[in-house]
Amino acid sequence: MLSDAIVALATPPGRSALALIRLSGRGAFAIGARVLHPFHPDRPRVAVRVAVRHPATGEDLDLGIAICYPGPASYTGEDQIEIATHGGLLVSGEVVAACVVAGARLAEPGEFTRRALQNGKLDLVQAEATADLIDAGAPAQRRRALQQLERGLSRRLEALRDEILQLEALIAYDIDFPEEDEGPVPPEQVERAWHVVHDRLGRLLATAPEGERLHAGALVVIAGPPNAGKSSLFNALLGHERAIVTEIPGTTRDAIEAPAVLEGFPFRLVDTAGLRDSPDRVEQLGIEVSRRYLAAADLVLFCEEAGTASAAAAAFLSEIQTPVIAVATKADIRPATARESIGDRPTVQVSTVTGVGLDAVKRTLAEAAFGNLVRLGDVEPIVTRERHRAALTEALRELEQFQAARASGVDAAATATHLVAAVGALDDLIGVVTPDDVLDRVFGSFCVGK
Ligand SMILES: Nc1nc2c(ncn2[C@@H]2O[C@H](COP(=O)(O)OP(=O)(O)O)[C@@H](O)[C@H]2O)c(=O)[nH]1
Ligand SMILES: [Mg+2]
């Protein structure tokens, strides 16, 4: 196992009050003794005011605070030191360099967390959540990452894994005595246990589309005819003037993408060139881009000036596969007497001049992109990555194959291989592989001859 001493700046370099430097691994305390004065590894988890000194030149580089974390009670599980220095471009870099002179090597990206994983301080799902928490740009992302870091998802996966092992324990008798007609466990009990775990797994897997969207941000493409007010709406949703707005049709030629947080959820908004047949080659390209974005979109915000519902719009809407939210724009210049509708869809009336309807658009977007997550609440775990989805899909497939094999009279030992494979998929997902576990469970919780 790699455990050589590594060092890295844990805060971004630049002008700041403080910087945090992390040092971990075999020999970390010996390195600390050469660089930090005084050095007190015998006073664990106590903040000590230190002079940081270059080990070769003896020059003082900074005055800081050092905290020693003897392993295994540290983030990485190894002997670890955290040094708070002054920030800025020079000091923290020189302190890191001094640690290297004293025997540490520069850490690879993610190496501290990787060591924490190797040393069993956290599992793979938690390690992912650590990265997600750092990358969170919307409160909903932060809440999810924190819940996963606190093992919300890990606990659910472990519970599912246990249930599959219980199922295996139920058919253990049939495995040991295949020639007997009926074991002590009636088939209906196996059937019931199977349904319970199958449904739970299926429900968790069903959170994947919105969960992955939460991770990446929902891609919303603003489409519609030229001059409909698309760029104005784009800017209004972003809260700043990102796209150029003019009264000249065809102003937006490129697709512009920008991140936005709406109702606490992460979105990626795309303003596009108006969809129409244009003789202008550059605009044509823009329209091509629109179509490509449309193909990748989670949602389409279709804009049309209130009261101008056109046949072209109806044709476009009938073609499109992606869910559409219809927006009737420029509500301020038409009295909202009759209810507008675009292509028979419920339509949100918006004016970017008066601000009317903007909140409704935001709510509608959040509901359409993340409604299931909202209804599920923050406590119920969800999966947020393709890796999660792939593993759960495999576990579910194995469960279904188990059931099919049982139904077609395959012997118990052979059906059990599907349960082993399902558990294996969950183990891979959590990142903790314990191959002897299955056997221990079967014989630990079941008494042959009963
Ligand atoms: N009165 C009014 N004018 C608007 C509104 N939204 C956009 N416009 C005007 O409509 C024109 C086209 O807007 P723009 O956002 O560039 O449309 P795009 O071509 O669809 O991107 C500009 O002159 C805007 O000022 C609105 O809500 N009310
Ligand atoms: Mg535009």
Side-chain angles (χ1 to χ4, degrees), residues 78-342:
E78 305 171 325
D79 283 350
Q80 190 177 326
I81 305 173
E82 284 180 3
I83 311 165
T85 67
H86 289 98
L89 289 167
L90 190 70
V91 174
S92 56
E94 286 194 332
V95 173
V96 168
C99 291
V100 170
V101 169
R105 103 175 134 73
L106 294 175
E108 305 280 337
E111 201 171 2
F112 290 90
T113 301
R114 193 170 162 168
R115 289 182 174 197
L117 181 72
Q118 277 177 339
N119 292 326
K121 304 300 287 189
L122 39 72
D123 64 35
L124 197 49
V125 173
Q126 288 177 291
E128 288 172 335
T130 306
D132 291 346
L133 191 56
I134 292 167
D135 291 338
Q141 289 176 314
R142 190 247 304 138
R143 286 198 301 274
R144 264 311 150 189
L146 198 56
Q147 192 219 23
Q148 286 186 1
L149 192 57
E150 291 173 336
R151 304 202 82 246
L153 177 56
S154 305
R155 274 197 305 274
R156 173 61 53 88
L157 293 172
E158 283 166 0
L160 283 167
R161 182 181 181 282
D162 281 354
E163 284 172 21
I164 300 172
L165 290 173
Q166 306 284 1
L167 189 57
E168 197 178 346
L170 287 180
I171 63 162
Y173 185 88
D174 302 332
I175 296 176
D176 289 338
F177 304 101
E179 59 290 334
E180 312 248 326
D181 277 349
E182 182 118 330
V185 178
E188 309 82 67
Q189 193 182 334
V190 177
E191 193 79 2
R192 267 200 307 277
W194 180 86
H195 273 292
V196 168
V197 66
H198 179 266
D199 288 358
R200 282 208 182 122
L201 202 59
R203 275 203 298 277
L204 186 57
L205 182 57
T207 65
E210 289 194 8
E212 285 170 44
R213 199 174 281 168
L214 181 67
H215 188 251
L219 189 67
V220 176
V221 171
I222 305 178
N227 240 15
K230 299 183 295 301
S231 297
S232 304
L233 182 59
F234 176 77
N235 289 338
L237 290 174
L238 288 182
H240 57 91
E241 303 300 308
R242 176 70 180 76
I244 298 170
V245 173
T246 74
E247 67 295 343
I248 305 157
T251 302
T252 310
R253 298 176 154 207
D254 231 354
I256 307 174
E257 181 177 332
V261 177
L262 307 177
E263 303 277 298
F265 286 95
F267 286 86
R268 292 176 294 147
L269 300 182
V270 180
D271 183 24
T272 65
L275 292 158
R276 61 165 181 175
D277 293 323
S278 162
D280 182 324
R281 234 178 67 77
V282 179
E283 199 192 338
Q284 276 284 359
L285 288 175
I287 290 169
E288 256 331 291
V289 172
S290 302
R291 291 205 187 278
R292 261 189 286 126
Y293 261 108
L294 279 172
D298 290 313
L299 292 169
V300 171
L301 207 52
F302 187 80
C303 297
E304 210 171 25
E305 198 169 326
T308 65
S310 66
F316 168 80
L317 289 171
S318 67
E319 247 173 60
I320 196 162
Q321 304 297 320
T322 318
V324 172
I325 294 166
V327 176
T329 56
K330 312 189 190 181
D332 54 292
I333 52 176
R334 267 179 61 91
T337 42
R339 273 197 84 75
E340 303 283 351
S341 78
I342 296 176

